[in-house]
Amino acid sequence: MRRNMPEASRSIPNGTEAGPPQGRTTSGGFLPPVLCGLIAFTVYFFTLAPTIAWGNFPIDALRRARIMPQIILSEDSAELSAAAATLGIAHPSGYPLFILVGHLFSRLPLGEDVAYRLNIFSALCAAVAVAFLWLVVHDWTGRARAAWLAALLFAFSYTFWEHALMTEVHALHLLLLTLALWCATRALRDDERRWLYGWAFVSGLGMSNHLTTILFLPGFIVLLFRPLVRTLRRARTAAALVGCYVAGLLPYLYLPLRAMQKPLYNWGNPSSLERWWKVVSGGEYRHFLLEGGREQVARGLQLFPLQLIVEFDWIGAALGALGFCWLILRVSGFGARETRDAQPTTLLALTLMGGAQLVFALCYHIPDPQAIYLPVYLVFAIALGIGWSVVEQSTDNAAVGWRVLRGVVFTALPLAPLLKEEPHVHDFLRRVEATYLPPRAQGLLLPRPRVSLRQHYMAARFAQGVLRALPPNTIYLSRGDGQTFSVWYYQRVYQRRPDVITVLQTLLRHAWYRQEVAERLPALATLPEKHSTPDIVQRLTRHPATRHRPIFFNVPPPDWQESSARASRATFDTHRLVPVPVPLPPVNAADSVTDDQAVLYRYAP
């Protein structure tokens, strides 16, 4: 029996109920989605980061046009790589599922660099997510071309493509979301509880990887309302459904069990119930919510349409808007009466899924926010598939010329991002912009830089150069997650320069980290929560265990001059910082950069 379902959108193509038969897919079974995933994985593999990465440079075209703010590089690749390789605990929420599965990948004999193996893991997760998106869009529209277009445009959208090339949790996050969507679709189509149980289990696993999975729950409840009500009416089936969801959450038990063993990466030290909950709930990052105020939210809303253009290009963004508009028209009474009944369910489910995530992304003010929008782009890709099915419906009986044009657009849209990745094409379009477009409009033709990270050795070059340059027994006081995590990666995964103690200063405000640092630097055992950089230096230079150790910084501390000016003790002088150039030679034969360098700052009393 077919029930309240995404076949609402499945009826879009021809105005009557359409779609694959019950219990199976059409158009070649699972071969088309597998082929779609293989195409995505092939592109990811040949643009993959060779080691730890900081992501790409900002979306400079729209920023130059003053219609897109600078986007900060992703900084967690090295930390997640090291945490997975050493079976550690990453930053909140700990990401236990990613750590456990990633650890298995880190031990595979694929290349010499551990991070490269985990980059392959991200690429594989992203490719499988693309395959499941194909299945979802095909089930919702009944059109194979709509599924191909939505899946490939999402696969090669800027942010998703970039996060498929480096070690990040977001590719696995999108894989679990698309798998949950597919299970929900099958639960509606086949009316079998096993798919509903599968949806509950996958949703729990999603929570074990990324907490924002819960933002899709209201949309899933709307989509699955009738089967959920039938299941929850009986105690036995209700217990089975809840049990499947709880089973998906079991990876969180890894955090306290592993914390008791004191791993090299032990963020938050969740060995007690209180600390475990603080890590799992992301308590350290709650201050980011609404930190930017109403102005930040308003600015984000203003820029969101432009972000869709960056991700899907102009035609893709228009197709997604068309898909949403078509659903609204069907709900408001446009079209045959017998095909409208389930349209409100489809529209409300998509709106709740994408809307809840969008509101969170607008209100969560972090330096690198683009990845938080990825689930929004996933929902938009489904709407894009619906939009293309509307185009096909409108042109099925059109003149040959219109059908040929439709075929050209269908072929060109997924190829356009790949062609723009080719350096000569990219440079040509840049020259066209510079020659024929006014300064404010530059970036509209090519609204994003190249995505490929194949030659991205910046993070590895920096970390290896710093560790090579630091004197023996240095205390390295670092700021900035990306630079610090890169140094930690080589120290903790490859045990390079164990004599160097690297301290991430911004974490010293947390008691668990001060306790961890004090095991190697007893001078900081009584460091208060509120302190300044000169306070740290004072304690280190006065303690007998550290008074003769060199002290280096990666950037001049922002509180240095102010705290030095307030100091009144005779033993606390002006604390000069001496710049020390650090050459960053190529890390291997594939690294083509030969003249890169960084600057460290040595404390010289």
Side-chain angles (χ1 to χ4, degrees):
M1 179 183 299
R2 297 189 176 189
R3 301 181 182 271
N4 184 25
M5 49 179 180
E7 49 186 87
S9 48
R10 216 189 305 153
S11 63
I12 289 174
N14 53 24
T16 60
E17 188 177 35
Q22 296 183 19
R24 61 184 179 89
T25 59
T26 60
S27 188
F30 284 95
L31 181 59
V34 169
L35 180 59
C36 187
L38 284 175
I39 292 173
F41 181 77
T42 301
V43 174
Y44 297 155
F45 183 79
F46 285 105
T47 53
L48 197 68
T51 180
I52 56 175
W54 289 340
N56 252 312
F57 286 101
I59 299 179
D60 53 355
L62 289 181
R63 180 167 52 87
R64 288 199 311 271
R66 298 180 182 179
I67 54 178
M68 176 69 77
Q70 180 172 346
I71 295 174
I72 307 300
L73 308 182
S74 176
E75 298 183 311
D76 297 334
S77 168
E79 182 229 357
L80 292 167
S81 298
T86 61
L87 267 184
I89 297 171
H91 65 278
S93 60
Y95 306 106
L97 182 65
F98 178 88
I99 296 299
L100 292 170
V101 182
H103 180 71
L104 298 178
F105 263 80
S106 72
R107 302 182 69 86
L108 295 178
L110 302 172
E112 298 180 356
D113 197 307
V114 170
Y116 176 71
R117 301 166 195 166
L118 288 162
N119 294 344
I120 293 178
F121 172 54
S122 286
L124 183 61
C125 288
V128 177
V130 169
F132 277 113
L133 178 60
W134 192 101
L135 288 169
V136 169
V137 175
H138 183 259
D139 280 354
W140 284 36
T141 65
R143 300 249 176 173
R145 283 190 290 269
W148 276 101
L149 194 65
L152 289 179
L153 284 183
F154 180 70
F156 304 135
S157 61
Y158 182 84
T159 303
F160 184 71
W161 187 353
E162 182 184 54
H163 282 81
L165 307 182
M166 57 185 175
T167 304
E168 268 287 5
V169 299
H170 303 291
L172 180 58
H173 178 39
L174 270 294
L175 164 59
L176 294 171
L177 284 180
T178 53
L179 179 56
L181 277 167
W182 183 65
C183 288
T185 302
R186 295 302 297 265
L188 291 166
R189 180 179 302 283
D190 298 345
D191 196 22
E192 295 182 9
R193 287 197 179 94
R194 58 172 178 158
W195 294 110
L196 198 61
Y197 296 152
W199 164 79
F201 178 66
V202 172
S203 297
L205 283 180
M207 285 291 293
S208 297
N209 179 66
H210 207 287
L211 292 179
T212 57
T213 302
I214 200 171
L215 297 175
F216 266 49
L217 188 58
F220 276 126
I221 291 175
V222 169
L223 197 63
L224 297 168
F225 183 75
R226 291 183 180 179
L228 281 174
V229 169
R230 291 196 305 270
T231 302
L232 294 175
R233 280 176 179 171
R234 299 177 59 185
R236 183 177 178 181
T237 55
L241 184 69
V242 174
C244 288
Y245 188 83
V246 172
L249 298 175
L250 289 179
Y252 276 115
L253 294 177
Y254 160 82
L255 298 180
L257 296 176
R258 183 57 176 155
M260 294 176 186
Q261 301 173 7
K262 295 186 177 181
L264 291 175
Y265 254 103
N266 193 17
W267 197 299
N269 187 20
S271 53
S272 66
L273 181 60
E274 180 182 0
R275 286 184 171 181
W276 175 83
W277 176 247
K278 189 172 183 179
V279 170
V280 169
S281 64
E284 292 184 11
Y285 300 142
R286 289 175 188 166
H287 64 281
F288 286 126
L289 276 174
L290 297 175
E291 187 178 53
R294 294 182 179 179
E295 293 183 0
Q296 178 69 26
V297 175
R299 179 66 172 165
L301 280 174
Q302 178 186 356
L303 294 174
F304 180 66
L306 299 170
Q307 292 176 228
L308 294 177
I309 295 171
V310 170
E311 302 294 336
F312 298 99
D313 225 322
W314 293 87
I315 298 178
L319 286 173
L322 175 62
F324 272 112
C325 290
W326 183 258
L327 287 175
I328 293 172
L329 287 173
R330 298 295 289 272
V331 170
S332 61
F334 180 80
R337 179 182 298 274
E338 64 272 12
T339 64
R340 297 181 213 150
D341 294 339
Q343 299 294 342
T345 299
T346 304
L347 176 62
L348 183 58
L350 288 177
T351 302
L352 285 175
M353 289 176 184
Q357 186 73 39
L358 178 60
V359 170
F360 176 74
L362 293 172
C363 297
Y364 198 57
H365 186 55
I366 58 175
D368 51 344
Q370 285 305 300
I372 304 179
Y373 286 89
L374 279 171
V376 184
Y377 302 149
L378 173 64
V379 172
F380 191 82
I382 296 174
L384 189 155
I386 295 173
W388 181 258
S389 70
V390 173
V391 172
E392 284 199 338
Q393 172 194 352
S394 303
T395 56
D396 277 342
N397 299 318
V400 174
W402 286 107
R403 295 201 300 273
V404 170
L405 178 62
R406 183 184 70 183
V408 171
V409 172
F410 170 78
T411 305
L413 279 180
L415 289 177
L418 303 181
L419 290 175
K420 292 177 182 178
E421 277 296 297
E422 207 282 324
H424 294 92
V425 175
H426 192 89
D427 294 341
F428 171 75
L429 293 176
R430 280 278 186 259
R431 290 195 299 271
V432 170
E433 282 186 335
T435 304
Y436 298 104
L437 294 180
R440 190 170 181 81
Q442 290 182 13
L444 301 181
L445 180 63
L446 190 64
R448 69 191 203 185
R450 297 179 65 218
V451 183
S452 176
L453 296 178
R454 190 173 184 180
Q455 294 296 322
H456 187 97
Y457 291 95
M458 186 188 308
R461 197 183 307 125
F462 172 83
Q464 294 187 32
V466 166
L467 289 175
R468 190 181 297 113
L470 290 175
N473 301 313
T474 292
I475 298 173
Y476 180 47
L477 300 176
S478 180
R479 288 179 179 269
D481 290 351
Q483 294 188 5
T484 310
F485 294 159
S486 300
V487 174
W488 277 352
Y489 171 78
Y490 285 100
Q491 288 187 297
R492 301 184 181 189
V493 176
Y494 294 104
Q495 290 78 48
R496 294 186 185 177
R497 295 300 305 273
D499 60 301
V500 174
I501 300 178
T502 302
V503 178
L504 180 53
Q505 278 191 257
T506 52
L507 282 185
L508 286 173
R509 66 180 182 271
H510 300 296
W512 66 267
Y513 187 64
R514 294 196 300 274
Q515 181 181 356
E516 178 182 303
V517 170
E519 294 180 3
R520 296 192 67 186
L521 296 175
L524 302 183
T526 58
L527 185 71
E529 178 180 350
K530 294 183 178 180
H531 57 268
S532 65
T533 303
D535 292 337
I536 298 173
V537 174
Q538 268 191 327
R539 292 169 181 268
L540 293 174
T541 53
R542 288 180 174 182
H543 197 279
T546 54
R547 66 175 56 172
H548 299 300
R549 300 188 71 158
I551 299 176
F552 275 76
F553 300 88
N554 65 327
V555 294
D559 58 350
W560 190 267
Q561 295 295 334
E562 181 182 355
S563 299
S564 298
R566 291 200 308 263
S568 58
R569 298 190 182 106
T571 56
F572 187 60
D573 54 30
T574 56
H575 295 320
R576 293 183 295 114
L577 293 181
V578 180
V580 179
V582 176
L584 304 179
V587 297
N588 55 35
D591 188 357
S592 58
V593 176
T594 58
D595 58 351
D596 203 4
Q597 73 171 15
V599 177
L600 300 181
Y601 297 86
R602 178 168 185 159
Y603 166 66

